[in-house]
Amino acid sequence: MYLKCPEDCFIKRNIVAIRPISKAKSTDPASDLTETEEKGKKGEKKSLAQDMKLRLGFLRRRQTDSIQSSVRPTPEDAHKWADSFMDLMNSKYGAALFRAFLQREFSEENIDFWSACEEYKKVRPTKMSTKARKIYNDYIAIQAPKEVNLDSTTRTVTINNLANPNRHSFDQAQRRIQGLMESDAYLRFLQSELYLELLHRPEVPTTASR
């Protein structure tokens, strides 16, 4: 479109389409950071909750599979477990049930160490050094994945024994951990529903007569 100016010149006028103005995003970096942190915290909480749910579910399945693989003891046999810690551990069902009890408290490292020491005594001499190193790395070393509570003297004696490993290398450490379990976890286990339920014979459902 052309318009004639008073000075006899022509001016070309461009017609520009008017577009709606979109809402601008916040340019405040502090606001963006806060929003990102909130999303991150929500995602972290959700992830932790999912991990805990999976862990608890896995533990329940593993406990059930381990215990069901053994024959349920009679009430008379279960009563004998209260005589001593060794009577409990000599029962395959009892040992599995005690470990399940400790797993519920996320404190199964003591029984795992004790059991590893029992297995260590049965290995061939040619494999003893490798097995001893694994037990040390898993349970005795400072900040080990499943570190057990040993006093400094017992820890030092055990470490010195590993220079020339034999079937008795872990005896002192094993006795120490067994003593801790006997004075605490073992007594609480004997008062738990897991154990007390075994002292009564399961009721046999009766068929109603017609």
Side-chain angles (χ1 to χ4, degrees):
M1 182 176 182
Y2 297 90
L3 299 175
K4 187 175 182 180
C5 295
E7 295 84 3
D8 294 329
C9 65
F10 291 91
I11 300 175
K12 183 177 181 182
R13 183 171 64 186
N14 295 322
I15 301 176
V16 180
I18 300 176
R19 298 180 180 177
I21 300 176
S22 58
K23 186 177 180 180
K25 294 183 179 180
S26 172
T27 57
D28 185 359
S31 176
D32 293 342
L33 181 59
T34 301
E35 184 179 352
T36 302
E37 290 178 345
E38 289 179 354
K39 290 182 179 179
K41 289 179 181 179
K42 289 181 180 179
E44 183 179 356
K45 290 180 180 179
K46 184 177 181 181
S47 178
L48 289 173
Q50 291 175 341
D51 290 345
M52 182 59 71
K53 184 177 180 180
L54 290 173
R55 175 174 168 77
L56 290 174
F58 172 71
L59 288 177
R60 282 194 291 267
R61 289 194 301 272
R62 191 166 61 176
Q63 291 168 13
T64 301
D65 293 343
S66 176
I67 295 172
Q68 287 183 347
S69 64
S70 306
V71 178
R72 179 187 173 96
T74 64
E76 291 75 19
D77 289 336
H79 268 292
K80 295 178 182 178
W81 299 350
D83 293 342
S84 71
F85 176 79
M86 289 308 301
D87 283 314
L88 171 65
M89 297 310 298
N90 286 333
S91 165
K92 185 176 180 180
Y93 193 102
L97 194 65
F98 182 56
R99 188 175 190 279
F101 171 77
L102 294 178
Q103 279 183 305
R104 289 184 174 185
E105 301 181 346
F106 299 98
S107 60
E108 68 270 23
E109 65 276 358
N110 285 340
I111 190 62
D112 286 348
F113 171 69
W114 188 92
S115 299
C117 291
E118 288 294 291
E119 294 175 3
Y120 170 79
K121 298 173 186 178
K122 302 174 184 177
V123 302
R124 290 180 293 179
T126 54
K127 295 185 177 182
M128 198 162 280
S129 179
T130 301
K131 181 69 173 177
R133 178 57 55 180
K134 178 171 175 55
I135 293 176
Y136 171 79
N137 290 334
D138 289 346
Y139 302 100
I140 297 177
I142 301 299
Q143 295 185 345
K146 302 178 74 173
E147 183 180 356
V148 293
N149 184 18
L150 295 176
D151 59 273
S152 59
T153 300
T154 301
R155 190 186 303 274
T156 300
V157 169
T158 304
I159 292 174
N160 291 337
N161 289 341
L162 297 182
N164 185 25
N166 56 59
R167 297 189 186 282
H168 304 287
S169 296
F170 296 100
D171 283 1
Q172 185 169 333
Q174 186 183 23
R175 284 195 299 269
R176 161 73 178 176
I177 297 304
Q178 180 175 329
L180 293 177
M181 289 191 291
E182 286 176 330
S183 63
D184 181 26
Y186 170 64
L187 298 179
R188 287 188 288 107
F189 169 75
L190 295 178
Q191 299 299 321
S192 69
E193 292 182 3
L194 284 176
Y195 173 68
L196 296 177
E197 186 270 335
L198 294 176
L199 301 181
H200 305 283
R201 292 189 181 278
E203 295 183 1
V204 179
T206 57
T207 305
S209 57
R210 296 182 180 179

